Amino acid sequence: MPVPDAPTTGANAPANPSAADAPAGPSRLDPAVAARLRRDSDGLVAAVVRQHDTGEVLMVAWMDDEALHRTLTTGRATYWSRSRQEYWVKGATSGHHQYVRSVALDCDGDALLVSVEQVGAACHTGERTCFFTELPVTSTPGDPS
C-alpha cells in the first residue's frame, strides 16, 4: 500500500498517476470545513505559510480539500503541485520540513494561513523564505507626491 502523503509510484501505482493524484472534489476533509472553502476554478485554495513563532512569511502554495485534510491530520504541510500535478509533502525530498502548528481560514474562505515550524529553507532556491526580493516603493501612505 502506498504511503498516503507521498506520490503513488511503483508496482501499486495506478495506470494514470496524474488522475489518481489530481485535485478532487470529495475527500476525507471534514464536510463542515470543506463547506467553508471558496476554491478557484481548479479546486484550489491559496495557502500562505509563515513561521509560527516569528510570523515571518515563508512561502505561498496551493491546497485542495485532500491536501488540507492531509495537513490537518498528519501535522506535515502537504500541498498540490500545479506544475507536477501531484501532492507533495514539504521536505519529503529536500529535508526542509514544515511541521504544522496551526491552520486558519480567512474570512472569505479563499485563503489559508498555515503556521509551521520550518526546518531549513522554505524556498526551492535554498533561501529561508521565498520573499527575498525587495521591490522599490516610491511613495508612502500619506505622502502627497
Side-chain angles (χ1 to χ4, degrees), residues 123-134:
C123 186
H124 71 279
T125 65
E127 296 286 335
R128 165 89 181 148
T129 172
C130 293
F131 297 95
F132 56 87
T133 304
E134 292 281 334

Side-chain angles (χ1 to χ4, degrees), residues 139-145:
S139 179
T140 57
D143 182 2
S145 57

